[in-house]
Amino acid sequence: MVNKNQQDTLAFTSIAEATRYFTNQQNALKLEEIINSNNLNLSDFRLDAHKRLDKLEQLLAQYKHYYAQVITGSSKEMLSIISELDKVSFQTALDSSATTLNQKIFEQGLFFKARESWIYNTRTMLNILENNQQHFTYDGDTFECDNDELLTQFNTCVAAMDKAADFEAEFLKNKRNSVLNGLKKVWALIKA
């Protein structure tokens, strides 16, 4: 994992390469183990889970930094290209590009917020379990709690984690579909 001081030196030749890098780094964290009840029942694992979340936060910061660089670079390239157009064409292209760019930035921002929410709520859930072990029992399948307030807090965290994960899954599905549609359009132009 690259530390925060090294994030400026991350260089990729393409968005696909960057995506592979960030995906591989995230997969190496084995986040699915964090939501496994058998693991959550173990105090040592909860400590390790916090370390994984630290690495995920660092990875998210790197990804945000990279994304900002891509947006800045893309914006400069777009302005350079359209600046050579006549005034009417320039304004039309600028309006269209700005709308598309704003939409992509907004959607990516929602993705970042969902990921931050997942991290925050996962940390909170881990802390609830760690700091209140005397109130929780684990029967090998589910957690039971003898404190209604703690149980509500725990369930709220789990619901927020699920909501964030569902949003991320939908976001990634839409992103894949968008790429596929773009490729279909390019392929149609090539064949024409």
Side-chain angles (χ1 to χ4, degrees):
M1 187 70 65
V2 178
N3 70 41
K4 289 180 182 179
N5 296 332
Q6 294 172 313
Q7 72 186 18
D8 291 334
T9 63
L10 286 178
F12 303 104
T13 58
S14 68
I15 292 175
E17 180 185 0
T19 301
R20 277 191 304 276
Y21 169 80
F22 289 114
T23 300
N24 289 339
Q25 292 292 310
Q26 181 177 304
N27 289 344
L29 296 175
K30 299 180 181 178
L31 299 173
E32 68 281 357
E33 292 179 356
I34 294 176
I35 57 174
N36 179 306
S37 296
N38 291 322
N39 293 335
L40 289 173
N41 189 44
L42 307 171
S43 186
D44 288 345
F45 181 82
R46 290 191 294 266
L47 178 62
D48 179 64
H50 278 289
K51 291 176 185 176
R52 292 183 198 191
L53 291 174
D54 291 343
K55 290 178 182 177
L56 182 60
E57 282 180 323
Q58 181 182 14
L59 189 60
L60 182 60
Q62 292 168 348
Y63 185 58
K64 283 179 172 182
H65 181 78
Y66 172 74
Y67 187 77
Q69 288 177 324
V70 167
I71 291 299
T72 302
S74 298
S75 297
K76 286 178 184 177
E77 286 177 30
M78 179 209 43
L79 284 174
S80 174
I81 292 168
I82 67 172
S83 67
E84 297 179 19
L85 299 172
D86 63 81
K87 190 174 182 177
V88 172
S89 298
F90 172 81
Q91 192 60 51
T92 301
L94 182 62
D95 291 345
S96 174
S97 297
T99 300
T100 301
L101 186 61
N102 284 338
Q103 183 63 29
K104 288 185 179 199
I105 291 170
F106 176 74
E107 290 169 356
Q108 191 67 45
L110 291 176
F111 173 82
F112 291 147
K113 287 293 181 194
R115 178 59 52 89
E116 290 166 352
S117 173
W118 190 88
I119 293 169
Y120 172 80
N121 283 288
T122 302
R123 269 194 202 287
T124 303
M125 178 198 62
L126 291 167
N127 289 335
I128 289 169
L129 288 172
E130 188 64 28
N131 298 330
N132 300 285
Q133 293 179 43
Q134 70 278 15
H135 295 288
F136 284 91
T137 55
Y138 180 66
D139 65 8
D141 187 36
T142 60
F143 284 96
E144 298 292 328
C145 184
D146 64 9
N147 181 309
D148 290 342
E149 184 178 331
L150 286 174
L151 182 59
T152 298
Q153 292 173 11
F154 181 86
N155 288 335
T156 298
C157 289
V158 171
M161 291 165 59
D162 287 345
K163 182 178 178 182
D166 290 346
F167 176 84
E168 287 184 33
E170 187 65 26
F171 173 84
L172 294 173
K173 178 181 144 193
N174 290 339
K175 201 170 187 178
R176 274 191 296 276
N177 289 340
S178 177
V179 168
L180 288 174
N181 288 336
L183 291 173
K184 287 177 185 177
K185 289 177 184 176
V186 169
W187 182 247
L189 289 173
I190 292 171
K191 289 177 81 176

PDB file of all heavy atoms in Angstrom, residues 141-177:
ATOM      1  N   ASP A 141     -24.213 -17.924  14.606  1.00  0.00           N
ATOM      2  CA  ASP A 141     -24.929 -17.454  13.423  1.00  0.00           C
ATOM      3  C   ASP A 141     -25.218 -15.959  13.498  1.00  0.00           C
ATOM      4  O   ASP A 141     -24.960 -15.229  12.554  1.00  0.00           O
ATOM      5  CB  ASP A 141     -26.234 -18.243  13.260  1.00  0.00           C
ATOM      6  CG  ASP A 141     -26.957 -17.936  11.965  1.00  0.00           C
ATOM      7  OD1 ASP A 141     -26.285 -17.723  10.935  1.00  0.00           O
ATOM      8  OD2 ASP A 141     -28.203 -17.896  11.988  1.00  0.00           O
ATOM      9  N   THR A 142     -25.764 -15.522  14.629  1.00  0.00           N
ATOM     10  CA  THR A 142     -26.135 -14.112  14.779  1.00  0.00           C
ATOM     11  C   THR A 142     -25.694 -13.587  16.143  1.00  0.00           C
ATOM     12  O   THR A 142     -25.450 -14.355  17.073  1.00  0.00           O
ATOM     13  CB  THR A 142     -27.664 -13.912  14.657  1.00  0.00           C
ATOM     14  OG1 THR A 142     -28.312 -14.672  15.675  1.00  0.00           O
ATOM     15  CG2 THR A 142     -28.183 -14.321  13.289  1.00  0.00           C
ATOM     16  N   PHE A 143     -25.646 -12.255  16.223  1.00  0.00           N
ATOM     17  CA  PHE A 143     -25.347 -11.597  17.484  1.00  0.00           C
ATOM     18  C   PHE A 143     -26.656 -11.275  18.196  1.00  0.00           C
ATOM     19  O   PHE A 143     -27.619 -10.846  17.574  1.00  0.00           O
ATOM     20  CB  PHE A 143     -24.579 -10.281  17.249  1.00  0.00           C
ATOM     21  CG  PHE A 143     -23.143 -10.498  16.892  1.00  0.00           C
ATOM     22  CD1 PHE A 143     -22.736 -10.508  15.570  1.00  0.00           C
ATOM     23  CD2 PHE A 143     -22.191 -10.679  17.883  1.00  0.00           C
ATOM     24  CE1 PHE A 143     -21.406 -10.705  15.234  1.00  0.00           C
ATOM     25  CE2 PHE A 143     -20.857 -10.876  17.562  1.00  0.00           C
ATOM     26  CZ  PHE A 143     -20.466 -10.894  16.227  1.00  0.00           C
ATOM     27  N   GLU A 144     -26.666 -11.502  19.489  1.00  0.00           N
ATOM     28  CA  GLU A 144     -27.777 -11.114  20.346  1.00  0.00           C
ATOM     29  C   GLU A 144     -27.242 -10.050  21.296  1.00  0.00           C
ATOM     30  O   GLU A 144     -26.064 -10.073  21.666  1.00  0.00           O
ATOM     31  CB  GLU A 144     -28.315 -12.306  21.137  1.00  0.00           C
ATOM     32  CG  GLU A 144     -28.874 -13.430  20.284  1.00  0.00           C
ATOM     33  CD  GLU A 144     -30.143 -13.042  19.550  1.00  0.00           C
ATOM     34  OE1 GLU A 144     -30.923 -12.222  20.081  1.00  0.00           O
ATOM     35  OE2 GLU A 144     -30.363 -13.562  18.443  1.00  0.00           O
ATOM     36  N   CYS A 145     -28.115  -9.137  21.691  1.00  0.00           N
ATOM     37  CA  CYS A 145     -27.686  -8.059  22.573  1.00  0.00           C
ATOM     38  C   CYS A 145     -28.737  -7.867  23.664  1.00  0.00           C
ATOM     39  O   CYS A 145     -29.940  -7.855  23.375  1.00  0.00           O
ATOM     40  CB  CYS A 145     -27.500  -6.777  21.771  1.00  0.00           C
ATOM     41  SG  CYS A 145     -26.865  -5.400  22.734  1.00  0.00           S
ATOM     42  N   ASP A 146     -28.278  -7.686  24.901  1.00  0.00           N
ATOM     43  CA  ASP A 146     -29.206  -7.490  26.014  1.00  0.00           C
ATOM     44  C   ASP A 146     -29.474  -6.006  26.299  1.00  0.00           C
ATOM     45  O   ASP A 146     -30.128  -5.665  27.264  1.00  0.00           O
ATOM     46  CB  ASP A 146     -28.692  -8.184  27.273  1.00  0.00           C
ATOM     47  CG  ASP A 146     -27.376  -7.613  27.787  1.00  0.00           C
ATOM     48  OD1 ASP A 146     -26.920  -6.556  27.292  1.00  0.00           O
ATOM     49  OD2 ASP A 146     -26.788  -8.244  28.693  1.00  0.00           O
ATOM     50  N   ASN A 147     -28.965  -5.128  25.432  1.00  0.00           N
ATOM     51  CA  ASN A 147     -29.149  -3.693  25.593  1.00  0.00           C
ATOM     52  C   ASN A 147     -29.791  -3.141  24.327  1.00  0.00           C
ATOM     53  O   ASN A 147     -29.170  -3.135  23.261  1.00  0.00           O
ATOM     54  CB  ASN A 147     -27.783  -3.042  25.858  1.00  0.00           C
ATOM     55  CG  ASN A 147     -27.862  -1.556  26.064  1.00  0.00           C
ATOM     56  OD1 ASN A 147     -28.441  -0.838  25.264  1.00  0.00           O
ATOM     57  ND2 ASN A 147     -27.242  -1.090  27.137  1.00  0.00           N
ATOM     58  N   ASP A 148     -31.034  -2.688  24.454  1.00  0.00           N
ATOM     59  CA  ASP A 148     -31.784  -2.235  23.278  1.00  0.00           C
ATOM     60  C   ASP A 148     -31.120  -1.060  22.561  1.00  0.00           C
ATOM     61  O   ASP A 148     -31.131  -0.989  21.334  1.00  0.00           O
ATOM     62  CB  ASP A 148     -33.215  -1.852  23.665  1.00  0.00           C
ATOM     63  CG  ASP A 148     -34.056  -3.061  24.032  1.00  0.00           C
ATOM     64  OD1 ASP A 148     -33.667  -4.192  23.661  1.00  0.00           O
ATOM     65  OD2 ASP A 148     -35.103  -2.883  24.692  1.00  0.00           O
ATOM     66  N   GLU A 149     -30.546  -0.138  23.318  1.00  0.00           N
ATOM     67  CA  GLU A 149     -29.896   1.024  22.709  1.00  0.00           C
ATOM     68  C   GLU A 149     -28.681   0.595  21.876  1.00  0.00           C
ATOM     69  O   GLU A 149     -28.495   1.052  20.748  1.00  0.00           O
ATOM     70  CB  GLU A 149     -29.470   2.023  23.780  1.00  0.00           C
ATOM     71  CG  GLU A 149     -28.874   3.301  23.209  1.00  0.00           C
ATOM     72  CD  GLU A 149     -28.498   4.298  24.296  1.00  0.00           C
ATOM     73  OE1 GLU A 149     -29.128   4.298  25.366  1.00  0.00           O
ATOM     74  OE2 GLU A 149     -27.562   5.065  24.052  1.00  0.00           O
ATOM     75  N   LEU A 150     -27.868  -0.303  22.425  1.00  0.00           N
ATOM     76  CA  LEU A 150     -26.707  -0.810  21.686  1.00  0.00           C
ATOM     77  C   LEU A 150     -27.138  -1.600  20.452  1.00  0.00           C
ATOM     78  O   LEU A 150     -26.523  -1.478  19.387  1.00  0.00           O
ATOM     79  CB  LEU A 150     -25.848  -1.699  22.582  1.00  0.00           C
ATOM     80  CG  LEU A 150     -25.007  -1.010  23.632  1.00  0.00           C
ATOM     81  CD1 LEU A 150     -24.325  -2.033  24.539  1.00  0.00           C
ATOM     82  CD2 LEU A 150     -23.971  -0.109  22.970  1.00  0.00           C
ATOM     83  N   LEU A 151     -28.189  -2.390  20.630  1.00  0.00           N
ATOM     84  CA  LEU A 151     -28.685  -3.168  19.502  1.00  0.00           C
ATOM     85  C   LEU A 151     -29.177  -2.250  18.382  1.00  0.00           C
ATOM     86  O   LEU A 151     -28.907  -2.499  17.201  1.00  0.00           O
ATOM     87  CB  LEU A 151     -29.812  -4.103  19.954  1.00  0.00           C
ATOM     88  CG  LEU A 151     -30.382  -5.018  18.875  1.00  0.00           C
ATOM     89  CD1 LEU A 151     -29.293  -5.917  18.284  1.00  0.00           C
ATOM     90  CD2 LEU A 151     -31.529  -5.856  19.447  1.00  0.00           C
ATOM     91  N   THR A 152     -29.850  -1.182  18.752  1.00  0.00           N
ATOM     92  CA  THR A 152     -30.311  -0.209  17.749  1.00  0.00           C
ATOM     93  C   THR A 152     -29.118   0.424  17.042  1.00  0.00           C
ATOM     94  O   THR A 152     -29.118   0.555  15.812  1.00  0.00           O
ATOM     95  CB  THR A 152     -31.186   0.874  18.414  1.00  0.00           C
ATOM     96  OG1 THR A 152     -32.329   0.240  18.978  1.00  0.00           O
ATOM     97  CG2 THR A 152     -31.621   1.926  17.411  1.00  0.00           C
ATOM     98  N   GLN A 153     -28.087   0.819  17.791  1.00  0.00           N
ATOM     99  CA  GLN A 153     -26.883   1.406  17.196  1.00  0.00           C
ATOM    100  C   GLN A 153     -26.209   0.419  16.253  1.00  0.00           C
ATOM    101  O   GLN A 153     -25.806   0.781  15.139  1.00  0.00           O
ATOM    102  CB  GLN A 153     -25.895   1.846  18.283  1.00  0.00           C
ATOM    103  CG  GLN A 153     -26.356   3.009  19.109  1.00  0.00           C
ATOM    104  CD  GLN A 153     -25.420   3.277  20.278  1.00  0.00           C
ATOM    105  OE1 GLN A 153     -24.324   2.731  20.386  1.00  0.00           O
ATOM    106  NE2 GLN A 153     -25.870   4.132  21.196  1.00  0.00           N
ATOM    107  N   PHE A 154     -26.092  -0.824  16.702  1.00  0.00           N
ATOM    108  CA  PHE A 154     -25.483  -1.881  15.892  1.00  0.00           C
ATOM    109  C   PHE A 154     -26.266  -2.079  14.594  1.00  0.00           C
ATOM    110  O   PHE A 154     -25.695  -2.087  13.501  1.00  0.00           O
ATOM    111  CB  PHE A 154     -25.438  -3.184  16.706  1.00  0.00           C
ATOM    112  CG  PHE A 154     -24.810  -4.336  15.990  1.00  0.00           C
ATOM    113  CD1 PHE A 154     -23.442  -4.522  16.012  1.00  0.00           C
ATOM    114  CD2 PHE A 154     -25.598  -5.259  15.306  1.00  0.00           C
ATOM    115  CE1 PHE A 154     -22.856  -5.597  15.357  1.00  0.00           C
ATOM    116  CE2 PHE A 154     -25.031  -6.330  14.647  1.00  0.00           C
ATOM    117  CZ  PHE A 154     -23.650  -6.506  14.674  1.00  0.00           C
ATOM    118  N   ASN A 155     -27.581  -2.212  14.722  1.00  0.00           N
ATOM    119  CA  ASN A 155     -28.425  -2.425  13.536  1.00  0.00           C
ATOM    120  C   ASN A 155     -28.411  -1.224  12.592  1.00  0.00           C
ATOM    121  O   ASN A 155     -28.473  -1.384  11.370  1.00  0.00           O
ATOM    122  CB  ASN A 155     -29.855  -2.768  13.952  1.00  0.00           C
ATOM    123  CG  ASN A 155     -29.959  -4.157  14.527  1.00  0.00           C
ATOM    124  OD1 ASN A 155     -29.144  -5.037  14.241  1.00  0.00           O
ATOM    125  ND2 ASN A 155     -30.948  -4.371  15.382  1.00  0.00           N
ATOM    126  N   THR A 156     -28.317  -0.026  13.139  1.00  0.00           N
ATOM    127  CA  THR A 156     -28.227   1.180  12.312  1.00  0.00           C
ATOM    128  C   THR A 156     -26.946   1.159  11.485  1.00  0.00           C
ATOM    129  O   THR A 156     -26.956   1.493  10.296  1.00  0.00           O
ATOM    130  CB  THR A 156     -28.292   2.445  13.193  1.00  0.00           C
ATOM    131  OG1 THR A 156     -29.551   2.465  13.870  1.00  0.00           O
ATOM    132  CG2 THR A 156     -28.136   3.712  12.369  1.00  0.00           C
ATOM    133  N   CYS A 157     -25.854   0.758  12.108  1.00  0.00           N
ATOM    134  CA  CYS A 157     -24.581   0.655  11.385  1.00  0.00           C
ATOM    135  C   CYS A 157     -24.676  -0.377  10.259  1.00  0.00           C
ATOM    136  O   CYS A 157     -24.244  -0.108   9.128  1.00  0.00           O
ATOM    137  CB  CYS A 157     -23.452   0.269  12.336  1.00  0.00           C
ATOM    138  SG  CYS A 157     -22.988   1.570  13.470  1.00  0.00           S
ATOM    139  N   VAL A 158     -25.215  -1.532  10.571  1.00  0.00           N
ATOM    140  CA  VAL A 158     -25.332  -2.588   9.565  1.00  0.00           C
ATOM    141  C   VAL A 158     -26.215  -2.124   8.399  1.00  0.00           C
ATOM    142  O   VAL A 158     -25.879  -2.340   7.230  1.00  0.00           O
ATOM    143  CB  VAL A 158     -25.868  -3.898  10.189  1.00  0.00           C
ATOM    144  CG1 VAL A 158     -26.192  -4.927   9.117  1.00  0.00           C
ATOM    145  CG2 VAL A 158     -24.851  -4.456  11.188  1.00  0.00           C
ATOM    146  N   ALA A 159     -27.322  -1.457   8.708  1.00  0.00           N
ATOM    147  CA  ALA A 159     -28.212  -0.953   7.649  1.00  0.00           C
ATOM    148  C   ALA A 159     -27.493   0.079   6.783  1.00  0.00           C
ATOM    149  O   ALA A 159     -27.627   0.072   5.551  1.00  0.00           O
ATOM    150  CB  ALA A 159     -29.476  -0.352   8.259  1.00  0.00           C
ATOM    151  N   ALA A 160     -26.720   0.968   7.407  1.00  0.00           N
ATOM    152  CA  ALA A 160     -25.977   1.986   6.647  1.00  0.00           C
ATOM    153  C   ALA A 160     -24.889   1.340   5.795  1.00  0.00           C
ATOM    154  O   ALA A 160     -24.645   1.768   4.658  1.00  0.00           O
ATOM    155  CB  ALA A 160     -25.376   3.011   7.601  1.00  0.00           C
ATOM    156  N   MET A 161     -24.247   0.314   6.310  1.00  0.00           N
ATOM    157  CA  MET A 161     -23.241  -0.419   5.525  1.00  0.00           C
ATOM    158  C   MET A 161     -23.887  -1.072   4.311  1.00  0.00           C
ATOM    159  O   MET A 161     -23.355  -1.011   3.198  1.00  0.00           O
ATOM    160  CB  MET A 161     -22.569  -1.480   6.402  1.00  0.00           C
ATOM    161  CG  MET A 161     -21.676  -0.906   7.485  1.00  0.00           C
ATOM    162  SD  MET A 161     -21.242  -2.139   8.753  1.00  0.00           S
ATOM    163  CE  MET A 161     -20.421  -3.391   7.782  1.00  0.00           C
ATOM    164  N   ASP A 162     -25.046  -1.689   4.529  1.00  0.00           N
ATOM    165  CA  ASP A 162     -25.764  -2.329   3.420  1.00  0.00           C
ATOM    166  C   ASP A 162     -26.178  -1.303   2.370  1.00  0.00           C
ATOM    167  O   ASP A 162     -26.047  -1.542   1.169  1.00  0.00           O
ATOM    168  CB  ASP A 162     -27.002  -3.073   3.929  1.00  0.00           C
ATOM    169  CG  ASP A 162     -26.661  -4.344   4.675  1.00  0.00           C
ATOM    170  OD1 ASP A 162     -25.513  -4.830   4.572  1.00  0.00           O
ATOM    171  OD2 ASP A 162     -27.556  -4.856   5.394  1.00  0.00           O
ATOM    172  N   LYS A 163     -26.680  -0.158   2.827  1.00  0.00           N
ATOM    173  CA  LYS A 163     -27.108   0.895   1.902  1.00  0.00           C
ATOM    174  C   LYS A 163     -25.930   1.391   1.069  1.00  0.00           C
ATOM    175  O   LYS A 163     -26.041   1.565  -0.146  1.00  0.00           O
ATOM    176  CB  LYS A 163     -27.733   2.048   2.690  1.00  0.00           C
ATOM    177  CG  LYS A 163     -28.250   3.179   1.831  1.00  0.00           C
ATOM    178  CD  LYS A 163     -28.894   4.264   2.682  1.00  0.00           C
ATOM    179  CE  LYS A 163     -29.361   5.422   1.809  1.00  0.00           C
ATOM    180  NZ  LYS A 163     -29.949   6.493   2.613  1.00  0.00           N
ATOM    181  N   ALA A 164     -24.791   1.615   1.709  1.00  0.00           N
ATOM    182  CA  ALA A 164     -23.593   2.073   0.995  1.00  0.00           C
ATOM    183  C   ALA A 164     -23.125   1.025   0.002  1.00  0.00           C
ATOM    184  O   ALA A 164     -22.785   1.347  -1.145  1.00  0.00           O
ATOM    185  CB  ALA A 164     -22.486   2.407   1.989  1.00  0.00           C
ATOM    186  N   ALA A 165     -23.119  -0.235   0.419  1.00  0.00           N
ATOM    187  CA  ALA A 165     -22.687  -1.319  -0.478  1.00  0.00           C
ATOM    188  C   ALA A 165     -23.625  -1.449  -1.665  1.00  0.00           C
ATOM    189  O   ALA A 165     -23.176  -1.649  -2.803  1.00  0.00           O
ATOM    190  CB  ALA A 165     -22.598  -2.634   0.295  1.00  0.00           C
ATOM    191  N   ASP A 166     -24.926  -1.325  -1.432  1.00  0.00           N
ATOM    192  CA  ASP A 166     -25.898  -1.388  -2.531  1.00  0.00           C
ATOM    193  C   ASP A 166     -25.689  -0.239  -3.508  1.00  0.00           C
ATOM    194  O   ASP A 166     -25.747  -0.425  -4.722  1.00  0.00           O
ATOM    195  CB  ASP A 166     -27.332  -1.357  -2.000  1.00  0.00           C
ATOM    196  CG  ASP A 166     -27.729  -2.626  -1.280  1.00  0.00           C
ATOM    197  OD1 ASP A 166     -27.018  -3.651  -1.401  1.00  0.00           O
ATOM    198  OD2 ASP A 166     -28.753  -2.591  -0.561  1.00  0.00           O
ATOM    199  N   PHE A 167     -25.442   0.969  -2.976  1.00  0.00           N
ATOM    200  CA  PHE A 167     -25.196   2.119  -3.846  1.00  0.00           C
ATOM    201  C   PHE A 167     -23.947   1.892  -4.692  1.00  0.00           C
ATOM    202  O   PHE A 167     -23.944   2.142  -5.894  1.00  0.00           O
ATOM    203  CB  PHE A 167     -25.039   3.413  -3.044  1.00  0.00           C
ATOM    204  CG  PHE A 167     -24.686   4.576  -3.923  1.00  0.00           C
ATOM    205  CD1 PHE A 167     -25.682   5.273  -4.590  1.00  0.00           C
ATOM    206  CD2 PHE A 167     -23.359   4.937  -4.143  1.00  0.00           C
ATOM    207  CE1 PHE A 167     -25.361   6.318  -5.444  1.00  0.00           C
ATOM    208  CE2 PHE A 167     -23.035   5.978  -5.002  1.00  0.00           C
ATOM    209  CZ  PHE A 167     -24.038   6.663  -5.648  1.00  0.00           C
ATOM    210  N   GLU A 168     -22.867   1.423  -4.058  1.00  0.00           N
ATOM    211  CA  GLU A 168     -21.622   1.176  -4.790  1.00  0.00           C
ATOM    212  C   GLU A 168     -21.830   0.144  -5.890  1.00  0.00           C
ATOM    213  O   GLU A 168     -21.327   0.310  -7.004  1.00  0.00           O
ATOM    214  CB  GLU A 168     -20.528   0.702  -3.844  1.00  0.00           C
ATOM    215  CG  GLU A 168     -19.987   1.798  -2.965  1.00  0.00           C
ATOM    216  CD  GLU A 168     -18.825   1.330  -2.106  1.00  0.00           C
ATOM    217  OE1 GLU A 168     -18.053   0.454  -2.557  1.00  0.00           O
ATOM    218  OE2 GLU A 168     -18.670   1.861  -0.999  1.00  0.00           O
ATOM    219  N   ALA A 169     -22.550  -0.912  -5.591  1.00  0.00           N
ATOM    220  CA  ALA A 169     -22.802  -1.952  -6.599  1.00  0.00           C
ATOM    221  C   ALA A 169     -23.575  -1.373  -7.787  1.00  0.00           C
ATOM    222  O   ALA A 169     -23.244  -1.640  -8.946  1.00  0.00           O
ATOM    223  CB  ALA A 169     -23.562  -3.121  -5.980  1.00  0.00           C
ATOM    224  N   GLU A 170     -24.582  -0.576  -7.512  1.00  0.00           N
ATOM    225  CA  GLU A 170     -25.374   0.051  -8.580  1.00  0.00           C
ATOM    226  C   GLU A 170     -24.523   1.046  -9.371  1.00  0.00           C
ATOM    227  O   GLU A 170     -24.603   1.106 -10.595  1.00  0.00           O
ATOM    228  CB  GLU A 170     -26.600   0.746  -7.984  1.00  0.00           C
ATOM    229  CG  GLU A 170     -27.577   1.279  -9.003  1.00  0.00           C
ATOM    230  CD  GLU A 170     -28.247   0.195  -9.830  1.00  0.00           C
ATOM    231  OE1 GLU A 170     -28.375  -0.951  -9.376  1.00  0.00           O
ATOM    232  OE2 GLU A 170     -28.655   0.507 -10.973  1.00  0.00           O
ATOM    233  N   PHE A 171     -23.709   1.819  -8.671  1.00  0.00           N
ATOM    234  CA  PHE A 171     -22.819   2.786  -9.320  1.00  0.00           C
ATOM    235  C   PHE A 171     -21.878   2.077 -10.291  1.00  0.00           C
ATOM    236  O   PHE A 171     -21.717   2.496 -11.439  1.00  0.00           O
ATOM    237  CB  PHE A 171     -22.020   3.552  -8.256  1.00  0.00           C
ATOM    238  CG  PHE A 171     -20.958   4.445  -8.818  1.00  0.00           C
ATOM    239  CD1 PHE A 171     -21.270   5.726  -9.249  1.00  0.00           C
ATOM    240  CD2 PHE A 171     -19.636   4.017  -8.918  1.00  0.00           C
ATOM    241  CE1 PHE A 171     -20.289   6.567  -9.766  1.00  0.00           C
ATOM    242  CE2 PHE A 171     -18.657   4.841  -9.428  1.00  0.00           C
ATOM    243  CZ  PHE A 171     -18.980   6.116  -9.856  1.00  0.00           C
ATOM    244  N   LEU A 172     -21.247   0.998  -9.821  1.00  0.00           N
ATOM    245  CA  LEU A 172     -20.300   0.267 -10.664  1.00  0.00           C
ATOM    246  C   LEU A 172     -21.002  -0.402 -11.842  1.00  0.00           C
ATOM    247  O   LEU A 172     -20.462  -0.442 -12.955  1.00  0.00           O
ATOM    248  CB  LEU A 172     -19.523  -0.749  -9.829  1.00  0.00           C
ATOM    249  CG  LEU A 172     -18.599  -0.131  -8.776  1.00  0.00           C
ATOM    250  CD1 LEU A 172     -18.000  -1.204  -7.879  1.00  0.00           C
ATOM    251  CD2 LEU A 172     -17.504   0.710  -9.424  1.00  0.00           C
ATOM    252  N   LYS A 173     -22.208  -0.900 -11.614  1.00  0.00           N
ATOM    253  CA  LYS A 173     -22.985  -1.498 -12.703  1.00  0.00           C
ATOM    254  C   LYS A 173     -23.293  -0.444 -13.763  1.00  0.00           C
ATOM    255  O   LYS A 173     -23.121  -0.683 -14.962  1.00  0.00           O
ATOM    256  CB  LYS A 173     -24.283  -2.090 -12.155  1.00  0.00           C
ATOM    257  CG  LYS A 173     -25.188  -2.704 -13.192  1.00  0.00           C
ATOM    258  CD  LYS A 173     -26.455  -3.246 -12.531  1.00  0.00           C
ATOM    259  CE  LYS A 173     -27.618  -3.042 -13.429  1.00  0.00           C
ATOM    260  NZ  LYS A 173     -28.899  -3.246 -12.788  1.00  0.00           N
ATOM    261  N   ASN A 174     -23.731   0.739 -13.332  1.00  0.00           N
ATOM    262  CA  ASN A 174     -24.040   1.823 -14.270  1.00  0.00           C
ATOM    263  C   ASN A 174     -22.792   2.288 -15.009  1.00  0.00           C
ATOM    264  O   ASN A 174     -22.847   2.605 -16.197  1.00  0.00           O
ATOM    265  CB  ASN A 174     -24.692   3.003 -13.549  1.00  0.00           C
ATOM    266  CG  ASN A 174     -26.088   2.686 -13.090  1.00  0.00           C
ATOM    267  OD1 ASN A 174     -26.741   1.781 -13.599  1.00  0.00           O
ATOM    268  ND2 ASN A 174     -26.556   3.415 -12.099  1.00  0.00           N
ATOM    269  N   LYS A 175     -21.681   2.316 -14.310  1.00  0.00           N
ATOM    270  CA  LYS A 175     -20.424   2.724 -14.936  1.00  0.00           C
ATOM    271  C   LYS A 175     -20.019   1.726 -16.015  1.00  0.00           C
ATOM    272  O   LYS A 175     -19.605   2.113 -17.105  1.00  0.00           O
ATOM    273  CB  LYS A 175     -19.334   2.841 -13.862  1.00  0.00           C
ATOM    274  CG  LYS A 175     -18.180   3.680 -14.244  1.00  0.00           C
ATOM    275  CD  LYS A 175     -17.297   3.927 -13.032  1.00  0.00           C
ATOM    276  CE  LYS A 175     -16.211   4.912 -13.369  1.00  0.00           C
ATOM    277  NZ  LYS A 175     -15.372   5.224 -12.233  1.00  0.00           N
ATOM    278  N   ARG A 176     -20.131   0.431 -15.719  1.00  0.00           N
ATOM    279  CA  ARG A 176     -19.821  -0.609 -16.719  1.00  0.00           C
ATOM    280  C   ARG A 176     -20.737  -0.484 -17.920  1.00  0.00           C
ATOM    281  O   ARG A 176     -20.299  -0.570 -19.067  1.00  0.00           O
ATOM    282  CB  ARG A 176     -19.951  -1.998 -16.095  1.00  0.00           C
ATOM    283  CG  ARG A 176     -18.711  -2.491 -15.398  1.00  0.00           C
ATOM    284  CD  ARG A 176     -18.806  -3.965 -15.039  1.00  0.00           C
ATOM    285  NE  ARG A 176     -19.854  -4.260 -14.075  1.00  0.00           N
ATOM    286  CZ  ARG A 176     -19.739  -4.154 -12.772  1.00  0.00           C
ATOM    287  NH1 ARG A 176     -18.614  -3.761 -12.244  1.00  0.00           N
ATOM    288  NH2 ARG A 176     -20.739  -4.445 -11.973  1.00  0.00           N
ATOM    289  N   ASN A 177     -22.033  -0.284 -17.670  1.00  0.00           N
ATOM    290  CA  ASN A 177     -22.987  -0.135 -18.768  1.00  0.00           C
ATOM    291  C   ASN A 177     -22.670   1.082 -19.621  1.00  0.00           C
ATOM    292  O   ASN A 177     -22.787   1.048 -20.848  1.00  0.00           O
ATOM    293  CB  ASN A 177     -24.424  -0.057 -18.241  1.00  0.00           C
ATOM    294  CG  ASN A 177     -24.913  -1.382 -17.711  1.00  0.00           C
ATOM    295  OD1 ASN A 177     -24.382  -2.436 -18.041  1.00  0.00           O
ATOM    296  ND2 ASN A 177     -25.916  -1.347 -16.854  1.00  0.00           N
TER     297      ASN A 177
END
